Structures are given as C-alpha cells and as structure tokens.
Amino acid sequence: MADHQDDEDLELALKMSMQYNPPEPKRSKPIEETGSGSGESPEAKTRRLQRELMAAAAEKRMMSFPKSPPAQPKPRALASPIKGMGSGGGLELSPEESNQLFTMVFGNEVSKSILAQWTNQGIRFSPDPETTIGLVQHEGGPCGVLAALQAFVLKYLLYFPDDIGKDSSSLGLRTSKNHYVASDSFSSVPEEVKTRALVRSMCEILFMCGNNSRAVVASFLNSEDLNTNQKDEVMAAGLPIESASDLQKILRFETFTTQSSAINKIEGTITAFQSRMGALLFLISALLSRGLDIVQNDRDDPNLPLVTAPFGHASQEIVNLLLCGEAVPNVFDGRMDLGGGMFLKGISKNVEVGFLTLLESLNFCKVGQNLKSPKWPIWVVGSESHYTVLFALDPSVQEENELELRESQIRRAFDARDQSGGGGFISVEAFHQVVQETNIRLPTEKINEICAMGFIVWSELWQVILELDRNLGGIKDSSGMMGKKVFDVYHFNGIAKSDINGGGQAMAVEGGMVPMQRPRLSKLNVSVPPKWTPEDYMTSSSEKDSEVNQPKPAQHAPLVDCIRTRWSRATCSWAGDPPSIV
C-alpha cells in the first residue's frame, strides 16, 4: 500500500514537472515575503508543491530500503585509465589530484605572467655552434629545471660516452690517469648524441625521484584528441593551462618500472618535451615520480608554492628534487634538529652532480659536502634570481690533497654539530666531541682560549689547526706548498632573451635593433694557492718563491665568489667579458 502511494506521489510530481510554466525572474525579497503566505503566486506555489511531493516520495522510498552496514573506505586510486598521448594508453589525474598538483606548483593565486613563463619554455639545445651542447632558456623562471637537467646532460656527454652510443673518440675524449678527460671541442657533438644524452638524463632523474623503483612520464593529449578551439590555441601558443581543471583535461601519464621502457617512452614523446610546455611537463613528471604526498612530506613548509612569487623562479625544492630526488628546501647535509621534535631537512646523500650558490658567499646559507663535492665535477650555480652550470673536463679537480682531506674530515664533524643554520659555530660541548672524533690534541691553554667565548667559530678553529703540528692532529705546513692547484673550469649560462638595458648582441627586428642576450660558454682558469695562516704569509713572503705565494693577476665576478665556496681563496682569470650568473 505504501509503495502504491509512493508511486502515485512520484507520478503526480512528474506530471507537474512536464507542465510548462515560464519561471519568474529572480529577485531579492525580504525574508518575511519568501514564505508560503497569501502573497505566494500560483506558479511559485505549484513549484513548491512539486518539490515537496518529490522529496516526500524519495524519503519514504529510502526508509523502505533495508539498512546496510557502512561502506569501508576504498584505497585512493591514483588515476583512471584513459586514452593518452602516443600509441599507448595513459592515466588521467583525478580532479582532486590535479588541484593538489597545480596548487603545489603555483599556489592558490598565480599571475598570468608566471604561467606564461612556465608554459612557453621547451627543452631544446642552443642553435649557436659555440654553445651547442647547452639547453637554451627563453623565459625567466624555469631555469632551475633546465640547469639541473643540463648538469646531467653534461655528465653523459663528458663522462659516459658509451651510454649514449658513441665511442669516446667521437666525442673528443681521451683517457688520462684511468679516467676520461673531455675535450673542449663541444661544437663537434652530433645532434643524435645530444638527444640521447638528454633522454638518458631525463630517465635518470625521474628514476631517482621515484626511489630508483619507478619513473612517471607525463604527456599531453594528441592534437586529434582536442576540439577545434583547442587545436587553434595549440597552433598559436601551446596548450593553455590557467587552472587545475585545464591541467586535468590535457595531462596524461604512464608509470614505468624499467629504465629501458621509460627511455623508449621518452624517446617517443621527446617532441612534447621540446615543445613550449616541455620544462613544465618534465617538472610534473618528476613530481609524479616522487609522489605528490611524498613531495609535500619532503618540504619544511608544504603550504608555499614550488614556483615562487612574484617572479616565478624555481624554488630550491625544485632544484633539490632534480639533483637528489627529494624536494627538501635546504642545502646543508642531513637534518638539523631544532628541538621539540622539529627538524629542518637537508641533503641526505651524496649526489651525481652538485650545487653551489652565491648566497653562501654572502653568509645566507651553508652548502653541505654532499652537494659541494658531487661524484662528477659539475655544479648547478645559483644566484639571487637565476641558475647556471659550472663544470670541469677533468675529474681530478675533485681529488683532495692531504690538507683538503683533513679539512673535509674536521669540517664534516663540525657541521654535524652546527645547529646555527650554517652560521659556522658550535657549543663548547660539541667542540670537545669534534676534537675527540677527529683526534685533535690541543694544549690545555689553547683549549681554554678557544672556549673562552662560550662557543667556537669555525674560522678560528681552522686557524688553530693550521698552526698545530701534524703529530698532534694538525696540518702545519712548513713548505708552504700544501694545497696548491691549477685547473680549468667552464661556465654555461643558457639565457637567451632581449636585453632592454643594452649589452650583448643585437638582433634585427622591425623598427630597429633589440639588444639580445645569447647563451654563453666561458672558460676560466682557476688557481688555488697553498693555504697559510696570515702570520705565515707575512713572515715568509720574502723568503719563498713568489710564484708560490703570489697568485697570478686575478679577475673578479660574482661567479668567482661561488667558486671560492668550493675552493677557498681561489683566484680566476678568463678572456673576454666576465661570466654572468644572472
């Protein structure tokens, strides 16, 4: 009987809904006039009755269903399969995941200028013969992605020619001291070799982000999957991404567990990474390889966007993700204990290619040995607003002599107890732990002198060690030759854009000449003189060979300050204009 009555109510509601009554225009009415009083129009009364009947019928039908136990929560699926780019299938992010990804990268509010920077930068090699091994940057912002990728590309071109299908001789390499020493004839590298180096670099970075167990390769829909308007936009200025929903519509991804399958996928979609969306697409691939939730857990403050406002620069977290596989925000080694269960996260392991920054020379941070001494002599160089790359052709520049080995040993022990955020000082208790761990035997009066202030500064401790005899754990050098080095390094700045402030090479355009900044490769000669105390230098400068004590006439640029964070007191010289890190 109840079911029959429900059916009658639903039938009446459906009949009423089929009647055509033009809706009244919406108006803002006082609260007291919006009820079902005598002022209600016939049309409004009919609609209200229709809603009440349908609601009552639905409620009765729900009450007649037997109660079932609450559903158990299902594991959150990453995405659902959907037709993607290329011949294979792809996965589509859910709206929630797309929103998480977009907000993680750009924040809740992002300007169109920042979006334009990140959606108009492909991963392409420079067309200039003198910089042909370098990735060119046309927009500000994505330089952190390009510089990190550039560092790995150089690793393969210079040190792993067999992995990219070429004999060492074809890349101008020779064997010296049981390792490769690269030639500086960079313009002779064939296009297919550079592409293979790029693909291998992308694959290595993505697997590193995926904890060496997986790589996620993101792509965009093929043009045949887009509607007419989207095709026109693609032809004009690339795929439009202004919101998380835009990203969710066009982004697809695949997960690979073997390097061979990932390399095949990247090779098959390399044109997508070379397109105007390439840098963003690779960043998304790295973030998905790491896992969005894990990336947020890596960070000290996950509420901040990875692309920083107001200029759209890549954050240190992006650079660290691509260099070490973890999106940590700091450059020191390990973790810094702030007490109360709070930690700041740094670099947890040694890396293939490293990082130096101008900010360390300004005492804003301290780069740890994991980044400062990578496996290969290649470093991303950070300034206040740009990332470039420094590299050497001979791995022996990384080899430490007796003084450097001892300094690294003591410095690691010191930094492990430095809770100042890279300020370079430790407590008295920590000092006693350092000297015990590194077997330094200081006289009692010297210990009392060092500890008099209640804290120990690294520079003062190092001067004491330089004056301490070797049999006591010091490295006193009576010859004045310890630590001397001379070698060459190269610096690449991939920026290529108009320079309204002048300088650089002019590019002819309609209506006149626009100054053009082009990608630039600079060669620097680095001389690291022997280390001495100020007293040793003053008393022995007239007694020792002037070539030992007096460095060659040196030139200065901000890049030199970065180099000195790696080789203290280094002097540099070069031909032509100073190398630029901006």
Side-chain angles (χ1 to χ4, degrees):
M1 183 68 182
D3 289 343
H4 181 68
Q5 181 64 40
D6 292 344
D7 293 338
E8 289 181 352
D9 292 342
L10 283 173
E11 183 179 357
L12 176 60
L14 289 173
K15 287 182 180 180
M16 296 178 68
S17 67
M18 297 294 290
Q19 297 176 2
Y20 176 73
N21 291 310
E24 289 185 329
K26 287 188 175 181
R27 297 185 178 91
S28 298
K29 298 181 179 180
I31 296 177
E32 62 271 13
E33 296 181 9
T34 59
S36 57
S38 59
E40 188 176 28
S41 65
E43 294 85 356
K45 184 175 182 180
T46 301
R47 289 197 300 274
R48 178 176 58 79
L49 179 60
Q50 173 185 341
R51 291 194 300 270
E52 291 176 354
L53 285 171
M54 295 183 69
E59 183 177 1
K60 290 180 179 179
R61 190 169 293 277
M62 289 179 64
M63 293 295 293
S64 64
F65 290 155
K67 293 186 177 181
S68 58
Q72 297 295 323
K74 297 181 179 179
R76 182 169 174 246
L78 179 62
S80 56
I82 193 169
K83 180 182 177 183
M85 187 174 185
S87 58
L91 297 177
E92 176 185 2
L93 290 175
S94 68
E96 294 79 13
E97 289 161 342
S98 297
N99 184 69
Q100 181 186 9
L101 174 61
F102 189 88
T103 305
M104 179 189 303
V105 176
F106 295 113
N108 293 316
E109 297 181 1
V110 57
S111 66
K112 290 187 176 181
S113 62
I114 290 179
L115 287 173
Q117 292 173 13
W118 283 84
T119 55
N120 287 281
Q121 179 60 64
I123 302 174
R124 294 188 176 187
F125 287 99
S126 169
D128 296 340
E130 61 270 23
T131 57
T132 183
I133 63 169
L135 300 175
V136 62
Q137 179 188 350
H138 297 287
E139 295 289 340
C143 56
V145 174
L146 295 180
L149 189 52
Q150 175 74 76
F152 279 88
V153 169
L154 288 169
K155 167 192 161 182
Y156 280 97
L157 288 176
L158 300 178
Y159 298 117
F160 292 90
D162 295 338
D163 287 3
I164 52 178
K166 284 291 181 179
D167 295 332
S168 59
S169 57
S170 67
L171 288 178
L173 301 174
R174 59 186 173 86
T175 302
S176 174
K177 298 181 182 178
N178 299 321
H179 58 245
Y180 283 122
V181 178
S183 168
D184 60 359
S185 57
F186 304 123
S187 60
S188 64
V189 182
E191 286 295 325
E192 62 270 17
V193 173
K194 294 188 296 183
T195 301
R196 279 195 288 268
L198 175 61
V199 170
R200 289 299 299 264
S201 299
M202 296 170 67
C203 181
E204 179 177 356
I205 292 174
L206 295 181
F207 265 97
M208 178 177 59
C209 294
N211 201 27
N212 294 319
S213 61
R214 70 169 189 172
V216 177
V217 181
S219 58
F220 292 123
L221 288 175
N222 279 325
S223 59
E224 56 264 24
D225 297 314
L226 303 175
N227 58 42
T228 302
N229 292 334
Q230 287 175 317
K231 289 181 182 179
D232 293 338
E233 290 173 329
V234 170
M235 295 297 293
L239 290 167
I241 295 181
E242 296 183 356
S243 65
S245 61
D246 291 338
L247 186 65
Q248 195 265 341
K249 291 175 184 176
I250 64 175
L251 182 69
R252 303 294 181 265
F253 68 91
E254 293 182 64
T255 301
F256 302 91
T257 56
T258 64
Q259 291 203 12
S260 59
S261 59
I263 287 175
N264 289 336
K265 175 63 177 181
I266 296 172
E267 287 178 340
T269 58
I270 192 63
T271 54
F273 292 101
Q274 293 171 338
S275 72
R276 302 176 70 169
M277 301 288 290
L280 178 60
L281 192 61
F282 183 65
L283 173 59
I284 290 174
S285 298
L287 292 170
L288 295 178
S289 296
R290 180 67 175 161
L292 301 185
D293 293 335
I294 298 178
V295 168
Q296 292 295 71
N297 187 59
D298 287 340
R299 309 171 67 194
D300 287 342
D301 188 352
N303 295 318
L304 297 176
L306 292 172
V307 173
T308 61
F311 303 112
H313 297 147
S315 65
Q316 188 66 49
E317 294 155 309
I318 290 178
V319 176
N320 286 348
L321 174 66
L322 302 181
L323 292 182
C324 74
E326 300 175 358
V328 294
N330 303 295
V331 293
F332 51 74
D333 291 343
R335 297 197 307 175
M336 183 177 297
D337 188 355
L338 301 180
M342 297 181 62
F343 296 89
L344 295 179
K345 302 165 188 172
I347 308 301
S348 62
K349 57 188 175 184
N350 193 236
V351 294
E352 294 288 312
V353 296
F355 179 78
L356 303 174
T357 175
L358 182 65
L359 299 181
E360 180 174 5
S361 69
L362 301 174
N363 293 320
F364 285 115
C365 67
K366 174 64 179 177
V367 179
Q369 291 300 311
N370 286 332
L371 288 175
K372 194 170 288 183
S373 301
K375 294 180 181 178
W376 302 99
I378 306 170
W379 298 266
V380 172
V381 177
S383 68
E384 302 97 324
S385 59
H386 189 41
Y387 293 101
T388 54
V389 179
L390 181 76
F391 62 98
L393 306 182
D394 188 346
S396 66
V397 303
Q398 289 272 83
E399 296 175 0
E400 294 182 321
N401 54 38
E402 181 184 358
L403 182 143
E404 290 172 324
L405 285 170
R406 183 61 170 154
E407 181 181 8
S408 295
Q409 178 191 20
I410 300 172
R411 188 68 202 239
R412 284 183 182 273
F414 186 96
D415 288 346
R417 295 163 176 84
D418 182 359
Q419 301 299 315
S420 64
F425 59 88
I426 58 176
S427 65
V428 172
E429 179 183 0
F431 163 72
H432 287 291
Q433 296 173 356
V434 169
V435 296
Q436 181 178 1
E437 179 180 324
T438 57
N439 198 26
I440 299 173
R441 298 181 298 280
L442 292 170
T444 303
E445 60 273 13
K446 185 61 69 173
I447 294 178
N448 293 336
E449 178 184 338
I450 293 175
C451 299
M453 297 296 294
F455 58 88
I456 290 81
V457 180
W458 165 256
S459 58
E460 296 178 357
L461 174 60
W462 182 239
Q463 290 299 325
V464 170
I465 295 171
L466 286 172
E467 299 170 359
L468 188 66
D469 290 334
R470 297 189 185 188
N471 60 349
L472 297 176
I475 47 176
K476 188 172 183 179
D477 177 29
S478 58
S479 69
M481 291 296 297
M482 185 182 293
K484 182 176 176 62
K485 280 187 175 182
V486 178
F487 54 90
D488 293 331
V489 294
Y490 292 80
H491 177 256
F492 177 72
N493 187 344
I495 194 72
K497 62 181 181 179
S498 59
D499 183 3
I500 60 174
N501 295 320
Q505 183 171 339
M507 177 181 65
V509 295
E510 183 179 357
M513 303 290 288
V514 176
M516 186 71 182
Q517 181 177 344
R518 299 173 60 187
R520 185 177 171 204
L521 183 65
S522 304
K523 180 179 180 180
L524 298 85
N525 178 263
V526 180
S527 176
V528 183
K531 298 186 178 182
W532 51 65
T533 65
E535 292 78 9
D536 290 338
Y537 177 75
M538 295 300 294
T539 58
S540 63
S541 59
S542 61
E543 302 173 2
K544 299 176 183 176
D545 186 359
S546 60
E547 290 186 1
V548 172
N549 290 303
Q550 300 295 335
K552 296 178 181 180
Q555 298 163 280
H556 187 266
L559 177 61
V560 178
D561 294 327
C562 298
I563 292 174
R564 285 175 178 166
T565 65
R566 176 60 180 85
W567 295 280
S568 58
R569 299 192 323 104
T571 59
C572 301
S573 60
W574 54 82
D577 294 333
S580 172
I581 59 175
V582 295

